[in-house]
Amino acid sequence: SCLQTSLSIWGWGSLGVVLFLVTFGPFAIFYFAFYILCFVGGGFVVTLLFGKSNSEKYLEQCEHSFLPCTSVGIPKCIEEMKREARPIKIDRRLTGANIIDEPLQQVIQFSLRDYVQYWYYTLSDDESFLLEIRQALQYALVQFSARSKETDWQPYFTTRLVDDFGTHLRVFRKAQQRIAEKGDQMKDQAEELVDTFFEVEVEMEKEVCRDLVCTSPKDEEGFLRDLCEVLLYILLPPGDFQNKIMRYFVREILSRGILLPLINQLSDPDYINQYVIWMIRDSNCNYEAFMNIIKLSDNIGELEAVKDKASEELQYLRSLDTAGDDINTIKNQINSLLYVIKVCDSRIQRLQSGKEIDTVKLAANFGKLCTVPLDHILVDNVALQFFMDYMQQTGGQAHLFFWMTVEGYRVTAQQQLEVLQSRQKDGKHQTNQTKGLLRAAAFGVYEQYLSEKASPRVNIDDNLVAKLAETLNHEDPTPEIFDDIQRKVYELMLRDERFYPSFKQNVLYVRMLAELDMLKDPSFRGSDDGEGESFNGSPTGSINLSLDDLSNVPSDETVQLHAYISDTGVCNDHGKTYALYAITVHRRNPNSEETWKTYRRYSDFHDFHMRITEQFENLANILKLPGKKTFNNMDREFLEKRKKDLNAYLQLLLNPEMMKASPALAHYVYDFLENKAYSKGKGDFARKMDTFVNPLRNSMRNVSNAVKSLPDSLAEGMTKMSDNMGKMSERLGQDIKQSFFKVPPLIQKTYSDPDHCRVAAPIDDNVDDNIPLRVMLLLMDEVFDLKERNQWLRRNIKNLLQQLIRATYGDTINRKIVDHVDWMTSPEQVADAVKRFRDAFWPNGILAETVPRRDKAIRMRTRVAGKTKLLEVMPDELKHIIGAETTRKGILRVFEMFQHAQLNKRMVYVFLERFLETLFPQNKFHELFNKLHSRSKQMQRYKQRLHSTQAPSLQK
């Protein structure tokens, strides 16, 4: 039906169209459309005209109509806007100290001028906004100052700061060790070191890692913005903090205008190197220290920079037109520069070829080693620790400890008997008490090392042991009661192949020589050109034999040495005038002849003479050094006369008969004539004092070595005996007996430094109450890695530091440190720091321009200069205590730590975090920093590893 309906509609429709076209024709369609268009257009025109007339009439009616009055607030607002803005009164007081407020106000003024005003005035002339920002900054500074005054800064400066620096150094040391264990040649070792550093950091900190903040500039800016916003929340009133526009302005000024440039500058390695050189600017660079740095450098950039500078200086010297006396000086300078270039080239080739060698291992395999007698080893702190380690490895530690304990017993017994004799002269009688104490000490030594119960026991002639036991039971003990057995033990250690003879073939012996600075750099064999390269040479020729080798040359060897003073001159160094003598040295070998020049002052001759006459007493009557002259000692005639006298001295010294009479003298002579800076021993005053102090010092050294090497309770007993002379009592006797008969195991090498542990934990030496001792011991532990070595050395150093601090400051050292911290935080020092900050950012009141980055070659040479200065400033006494090689490695490790900007930033941010935690203890900054660093990739990987290792255990 639907289909029929649709067909009918279409049918009728078609019929209508056909009829219309038949009736009116085809043009009727156009007429129809035109009629419709006219109808619509006419209707639109009529509507428009009618609406316009009606609207005009309505508006006229509205204008004449009455409206109610507007609100009074709008006119008042308009009136206020038309009036001039009244000035905002700002109180210029910030901290309560005028000397601080004045430079602070200048910093605020300069900050607003250079970071806000230069663009704000292009938008508006209204200064009320600027005044409100200034008022907000001042309010924040007032609150900050109030918090600072309420804070106790002593723990921050004496504990937290030192602990954080020690932790940073420990992380760096662990990272270096981890990279060394991998042993691969990295493409970018600096980048690998940074990644490994933050891996170790997260393992040690466990809660936080700062890798993103230190390595990503974008994350660093975000961190500073968040931190500044938190500080503004704490310091600003709630109303000002809710003002987002002002808050954002202040946040950007603090974060990007002040903190970020300051942190970048403090983290710049080149800035730190320049600051180090400035701090020790009074010390002169030593040629030997400079060459040691070149030989030890593993940075090709440093070597190339030094080589380029040396080549530049060489080209300049060759271009000079000189004659007369100056030509000899120029030739010597040219030879020195050629030698420096040669060493740099050799070092660069070795690093590029991957043929880097361990000097200690090479010397152990190929080098000729000098011999250090056993009796010298036993009285030298540095050498003794290596021999002690070796004896523990071979199971002979009981023999060594027995020898040292007897030394301590002998000195202590002599002291006690001397005190007893002096008291008897004064009419005081304590004979039985003293003898009882000595008997207890002697029995303690016997039970510890010689009795059947001793473990381990000193294996010695049973007859001697039985004779000693008989003496102890029936006679009063004397200081010499153990001498026979001690002599046998010494001969056993000296001649038994297990002990001293094998020790000289062990790598520990080579390391001992390195620590004593007696191991010369052996010749490098295996260079690309097939020729050996010596690093013991001089500018005019290489000395192929080391000083130790030369000192061991027999007298009938065909090596001949001649020397004479060829010239004299007067030098002026930093306003100090002195005479200098040029010594020309000839050496003849069977196959070669070499010549070089070395330069010495009269004080060098005098020190050398004092040194050899101390060692060889028979020379004092044969060798006569020309005397000193106080006035007119720079006169030309006097210098010529002294030159002749010194030449006669040299000829007598180098006489073959003299060398045959004292074979060991050759070592000192070659050391004095080698082309290097002469290392002086002691001055006149120190040597004169030694004639009085040496006997006492040797005795105290023996006591120190013996007591510090004893087991803890035995050492405690000996120390009580020595320290409490004249205060003998029954109670002390009981303490000593208990200390002798309750003996713990022998000293073992300790590894108390866990792989992953912060330094912030209290150190286990009962020194937390002694601030300087704690700081110095902690820094020495981390800088020189003392905890990895035997505990005997560390205990020795701790006692030495205690004596030094007590002798220097007495018992008031902690009070003085607290006073010093108060002085550091005093208004005068704070004002000085603010002024330095102001002058650094706005010199002469003008914003400092960004300092252009210095050329790479200049920065590399600055690094070399900084390392040379640090090695030069290290006292020889430190080398004698812990060893030359350990001292050198520790100093260079600290310097290398500061050569990475990312690691320096980490240290700066740690100091900043601890500062804020100390300043705002109630605001949970520790948790806040953990959250801010929670996006660290290293932290996320650490948590994943931790979760993966804990999951199996949880399943079990």
Side-chain angles (χ1 to χ4, degrees):
S1 62
C2 292
L3 181 60
Q4 292 178 356
T5 304
S6 60
L7 289 175
S8 61
I9 293 172
W10 280 104
W12 288 106
S14 301
L15 180 61
V17 171
V18 172
L19 293 176
F20 179 82
L21 292 175
V22 171
T23 305
F24 299 103
F27 293 98
I29 298 176
F30 298 101
Y31 294 131
F32 183 73
F34 178 72
Y35 294 153
I36 293 176
L37 182 62
C38 291
F39 177 78
V40 173
F44 178 75
V45 171
V46 172
T47 303
L48 180 62
L49 294 175
F50 180 76
K52 181 180 179 182
S53 61
N54 289 341
S55 299
E56 291 176 350
K57 293 179 180 179
Y58 181 75
L59 289 176
E60 290 178 358
Q61 293 176 0
C62 290
E63 287 179 359
H64 297 288
S65 63
F66 176 78
L67 295 177
C69 296
T70 58
S71 173
V72 294
I74 296 177
K76 287 187 177 181
C77 181
I78 296 174
E79 184 180 355
E80 289 290 337
M81 292 175 65
K82 291 180 180 180
R83 291 181 183 177
E84 293 184 0
R86 288 176 297 179
I88 301 177
K89 295 182 179 180
I90 297 180
D91 190 354
R92 298 181 63 84
R93 294 176 298 178
L94 298 174
T95 63
N98 187 48
I99 58 175
I100 302 177
D101 293 346
E102 183 178 352
L104 266 181
Q105 289 289 351
Q106 292 178 342
V107 170
I108 295 174
Q109 179 183 349
F110 294 154
S111 300
L112 294 176
R113 181 195 67 189
D114 295 326
Y115 294 114
V116 179
Q117 290 179 5
Y118 81 97
W119 58 264
Y120 177 77
Y121 283 138
T122 61
L123 303 177
S124 174
D125 295 332
D126 186 13
E127 295 188 356
S128 59
F129 177 71
L130 299 177
L131 294 175
E132 288 179 0
I133 292 181
R134 187 186 187 104
Q135 192 174 25
L137 285 174
Q138 292 195 175
Y139 184 86
L141 288 174
V142 169
Q143 297 298 317
F144 185 87
S145 173
R147 291 288 187 101
S148 301
K149 293 177 181 178
E150 298 173 357
T151 303
D152 180 13
W153 292 107
Q154 184 263 333
Y156 173 76
F157 286 106
T158 60
T159 303
R160 291 192 173 187
L161 212 62
V162 180
D163 289 343
D164 289 331
F165 179 79
T167 301
H168 187 84
L169 183 57
R170 177 178 295 183
V171 175
F172 181 78
R173 178 165 50 84
K174 296 292 183 184
Q176 279 188 324
Q177 293 174 357
R178 189 168 297 184
I179 290 179
E181 291 171 358
K182 294 180 180 179
D184 299 330
Q185 294 294 332
M186 312 293 181
K187 292 183 179 180
D188 190 349
Q189 193 168 2
E191 184 178 350
E192 180 69 17
L193 177 63
V194 172
D195 293 339
T196 307
F197 178 91
F198 287 110
E199 288 180 6
V200 179
E201 182 197 18
V202 71
E203 293 172 1
M204 185 173 294
E205 297 280 357
K206 301 188 186 308
E207 296 181 351
V208 66
C209 184
R210 302 169 182 85
D211 55 338
L212 280 181
V213 175
C214 299
T215 58
S216 172
K218 182 178 179 181
D219 290 299
E220 182 181 13
E221 292 180 5
F223 173 80
L224 289 177
R225 287 194 186 98
D226 293 339
L227 181 60
C228 290
E229 193 149 355
V230 172
L231 291 176
L232 293 177
Y233 173 78
I234 296 174
L235 299 175
L236 289 180
D240 291 342
F241 182 78
Q242 297 300 328
N243 187 339
K244 291 186 178 181
I245 297 178
M246 185 179 67
R247 186 175 80 221
Y248 291 161
F249 275 125
V250 176
R251 184 190 70 182
E252 292 300 314
I253 292 173
L254 291 177
S255 62
R256 300 197 59 181
I258 297 178
L259 286 180
L260 188 59
L262 180 62
I263 292 172
N264 287 335
Q265 184 178 18
L266 295 177
S267 305
D268 183 16
D270 188 50
Y271 172 80
I272 296 175
N273 296 340
Q274 293 179 63
Y275 189 73
V276 168
I277 295 174
W278 177 82
M279 287 181 64
I280 51 181
R281 59 191 178 277
D282 294 333
S283 66
N284 298 322
C285 284
N286 182 282
Y287 172 78
E288 186 177 4
F290 171 72
M291 293 309 301
N292 283 336
I293 291 298
I294 298 299
K295 295 173 185 178
L296 294 172
S297 176
D298 57 357
N299 189 304
I300 295 179
E302 292 179 359
L303 298 170
E304 290 179 344
V306 173
K307 175 187 171 183
D308 293 343
K309 189 64 177 178
S311 301
E312 181 182 336
E313 292 291 329
L314 183 63
Q315 187 176 5
Y316 169 74
L317 291 176
R318 284 174 171 171
S319 66
L320 295 177
D321 185 12
T322 57
D325 295 337
D326 292 339
I327 193 169
N328 294 326
T329 303
I330 298 298
K331 286 183 177 179
N332 289 332
Q333 292 178 356
I334 290 176
N335 289 331
S336 298
L337 291 173
L338 288 173
Y339 178 62
V340 171
I341 294 173
K342 175 185 175 183
V343 173
C344 289
D345 283 334
S346 301
R347 186 67 181 162
I348 290 172
Q349 291 176 6
R350 185 181 299 181
L351 291 173
Q352 290 178 341
S353 63
K355 294 181 179 179
E356 180 64 9
I357 55 176
D358 188 342
T359 303
V360 173
K361 293 181 180 178
L362 188 64
N365 294 329
F366 301 107
K368 293 182 181 180
L369 305 177
C370 65
T371 300
V372 181
L374 179 60
D375 54 345
H376 290 180
I377 293 176
L378 293 176
V379 296
D380 186 275
N381 287 332
V382 176
L384 182 58
Q385 60 171 308
F386 288 95
F387 188 57
M388 188 181 298
D389 287 343
Y390 176 77
M391 294 294 282
Q392 288 180 343
Q393 292 177 6
T394 58
Q397 68 269 29
H399 299 78
L400 177 60
F401 289 158
F402 171 77
W403 188 92
M404 297 171 65
T405 303
V406 171
E407 285 291 301
Y409 168 81
R410 181 188 300 111
V411 176
T412 305
Q414 290 173 351
Q415 292 175 346
Q416 296 294 333
L417 292 178
E418 290 174 1
V419 172
L420 176 62
Q421 292 175 1
S422 64
R423 287 182 171 272
Q424 287 178 343
K425 291 180 182 180
D426 296 338
K428 300 178 181 179
H429 301 283
Q430 292 182 336
T431 305
N432 294 332
Q433 290 182 356
T434 302
K435 290 182 178 180
L437 291 172
L438 292 179
R439 185 180 299 278
F443 266 108
V445 175
Y446 175 82
E447 291 290 336
Q448 175 69 14
Y449 297 105
L450 301 173
S451 67
E452 296 293 337
K453 301 178 181 179
S455 177
R457 184 174 182 268
V458 175
N459 295 320
I460 205 69
D461 188 358
D462 292 337
N463 293 328
L464 289 177
V465 177
K467 182 179 177 181
L468 173 64
E470 183 71 16
T471 303
L472 287 174
N473 290 326
H474 298 91
E475 299 179 12
D476 292 332
T478 63
E480 299 81 14
I481 192 171
F482 293 102
D483 282 5
D484 293 337
I485 298 181
Q486 186 192 30
R487 195 176 302 109
K488 287 291 183 180
V489 169
Y490 176 82
E491 293 177 358
L492 178 66
M493 292 190 296
L494 179 65
R495 307 188 186 284
D496 195 318
E497 285 296 329
R498 296 175 298 165
F499 303 140
Y500 178 67
S502 297
F503 173 62
K504 292 191 295 182
Q505 308 299 323
N506 193 275
V507 68
L508 286 174
Y509 183 79
V510 183
R511 292 178 180 172
M512 180 194 75
L513 294 180
E515 294 292 357
L516 296 174
D517 218 6
M518 300 174 67
L519 182 65
K520 297 297 178 181
D521 210 0
S523 298
F524 174 67
R525 300 174 176 84
S527 58
D528 295 336
D529 56 3
E531 298 178 359
E533 304 171 28
S534 174
F535 290 90
N536 294 314
S538 63
T540 58
S542 195
I543 304 176
N544 295 324
L545 293 176
S546 70
L547 299 180
D548 299 319
D549 299 333
L550 291 172
S551 66
N552 293 326
V553 175
S555 59
D556 58 350
E557 195 77 25
T558 56
V559 176
Q560 299 179 3
L561 192 69
H562 303 280
Y564 65 94
I565 299 176
S566 56
D567 197 6
T568 61
V570 178
C571 297
N572 192 315
D573 186 11
H574 296 281
K576 185 177 181 181
T577 304
Y578 56 87
L580 200 63
Y581 300 89
I583 306 175
T584 301
V585 185
H586 299 281
R587 189 187 66 180
R588 288 198 185 104
N589 289 327
N591 301 322
S592 63
E593 181 176 349
E594 294 176 316
T595 302
W596 69 88
K597 276 191 176 183
T598 187
Y599 299 89
R600 295 289 180 260
R601 298 172 56 179
Y602 175 80
S603 60
D604 298 332
F605 277 95
H606 187 266
D607 183 87
F608 169 71
H609 179 76
M610 296 290 290
R611 185 178 295 185
I612 61 175
T613 51
E614 278 184 359
Q615 297 293 328
F616 311 96
E617 297 180 358
N618 59 323
L619 296 181
N621 299 324
I622 302 174
L623 292 173
K624 299 298 181 183
L625 188 70
K628 292 185 177 182
K629 185 178 180 181
T630 306
F631 302 102
N632 297 326
N633 55 7
M634 296 294 122
D635 184 69
R636 191 67 189 175
E637 294 181 0
F638 173 75
L639 292 179
E640 288 296 327
K641 181 180 182 300
R642 177 175 278 181
K643 171 185 172 183
K644 294 179 181 179
D645 294 339
L646 290 176
N647 257 326
Y649 177 86
L650 277 178
Q651 303 315 313
L652 181 60
L653 180 67
L654 294 174
N655 189 298
E657 297 300 326
M658 181 80 72
M659 291 293 188
K660 289 182 181 180
S662 304
L665 178 63
H667 169 78
Y668 296 92
V669 175
Y670 289 124
D671 183 40
F672 181 72
L673 295 178
E674 189 181 13
N675 187 14
K676 66 175 185 178
Y678 181 63
S679 176
K680 289 186 179 181
K682 304 173 183 176
D684 295 339
F685 179 76
R687 292 184 180 278
K688 292 176 182 178
M689 289 300 296
D690 279 350
T691 59
F692 301 99
V693 177
N694 267 335
L696 178 61
R697 182 177 59 193
N698 291 334
S699 298
M700 293 308 296
R701 174 184 289 181
N702 292 334
V703 175
S704 175
N705 287 340
V707 172
K708 294 178 182 64
S709 64
L710 293 175
D712 292 338
S713 60
L714 191 58
E716 182 183 358
M718 284 290 190
T719 304
K720 287 182 179 180
M721 290 178 62
S722 178
D723 291 345
N724 295 280
M725 292 186 299
K727 296 181 180 180
M728 307 297 184
S729 63
E730 189 63 28
R731 178 181 177 185
L732 180 59
Q734 294 175 358
D735 291 341
I736 294 178
K737 289 181 181 179
Q738 292 176 0
S739 67
F740 275 114
F741 288 107
K742 295 182 180 179
V743 181
L746 292 173
I747 301 172
Q748 300 294 332
K749 187 171 182 179
T750 62
Y751 298 92
S752 58
D753 180 10
D755 289 338
H756 310 299
C757 176
R758 276 187 55 86
V759 180
I763 53 180
D764 53 347
D765 289 275
N766 298 322
V767 297
D768 286 342
D769 57 337
N770 192 327
I771 297 174
L773 179 59
R774 180 187 182 278
V775 170
M776 295 174 68
L777 188 59
L778 186 148
L779 291 180
M780 291 192 71
D781 275 343
E782 298 306 323
V783 173
F784 303 110
D785 200 11
L786 295 184
K787 284 193 174 183
E788 294 293 339
R789 305 172 71 175
N790 59 44
Q791 190 70 5
W792 174 85
L793 174 66
R794 192 167 180 272
R795 184 186 299 172
N796 205 359
I797 292 175
K798 190 192 81 172
N799 283 274
L800 179 64
L801 293 176
Q802 281 179 323
Q803 296 173 7
L804 175 64
I805 293 170
R806 189 177 295 112
T808 307
Y809 298 102
D811 297 329
T812 62
I813 180 63
N814 284 357
R815 178 68 260 172
K816 292 182 179 180
I817 288 181
V818 173
D819 293 341
H820 185 71
V821 172
D822 293 339
W823 173 79
M824 290 173 59
T825 56
S826 64
E828 293 78 9
Q829 294 302 309
V830 175
D832 187 59
V834 175
K835 290 178 181 177
R836 288 199 301 267
F837 174 80
R838 177 200 62 193
D839 296 339
F841 273 76
W842 293 277
N844 299 321
I846 301 174
L847 182 65
E849 297 181 357
T850 303
V851 179
R853 188 173 177 83
R854 300 201 306 167
D855 182 68
K856 180 180 178 182
I858 298 178
R859 288 187 279 116
M860 290 295 105
R861 288 195 292 270
T862 305
R863 286 181 55 166
V864 174
K867 286 192 284 188
T868 304
K869 286 269 192 180
L870 281 177
L871 283 187
E872 179 65 21
V873 80
M874 283 299 105
D876 292 335
E877 289 76 10
L878 184 62
K879 300 176 184 178
H880 297 159
I881 295 173
I882 62 178
E885 187 69 14
T886 299
T887 302
R888 185 161 45 244
K889 287 183 178 180
I891 296 303
L892 293 181
R893 180 189 297 122
V894 175
F895 185 86
E896 181 63 25
M897 182 183 70
F898 287 111
Q899 303 312 305
H900 304 273
Q902 298 95 329
L903 307 189
N904 295 339
K905 281 191 176 183
R906 187 262 177 194
M907 186 165 58
V908 172
Y909 279 118
V910 169
F911 290 163
L912 177 61
E913 291 172 11
R914 297 294 178 268
F915 175 82
L916 294 177
E917 290 175 10
T918 305
L919 187 61
F920 304 101
Q922 306 297 330
N923 295 102
K924 300 181 180 179
F925 264 94
H926 181 72
E927 298 178 5
L928 172 66
F929 288 128
N930 289 347
K931 292 180 180 179
L932 292 178
H933 296 301
S934 60
R935 294 186 298 107
S936 165
K937 297 179 181 179
Q938 293 286 359
M939 193 69 195
Q940 294 173 2
R941 286 197 290 266
Y942 174 74
K943 290 181 178 179
Q944 291 175 358
R945 290 196 303 268
L946 191 64
H947 179 72
S948 61
T949 54
Q950 291 178 351
S953 60
L954 291 175
Q955 292 176 359
K956 291 181 181 180

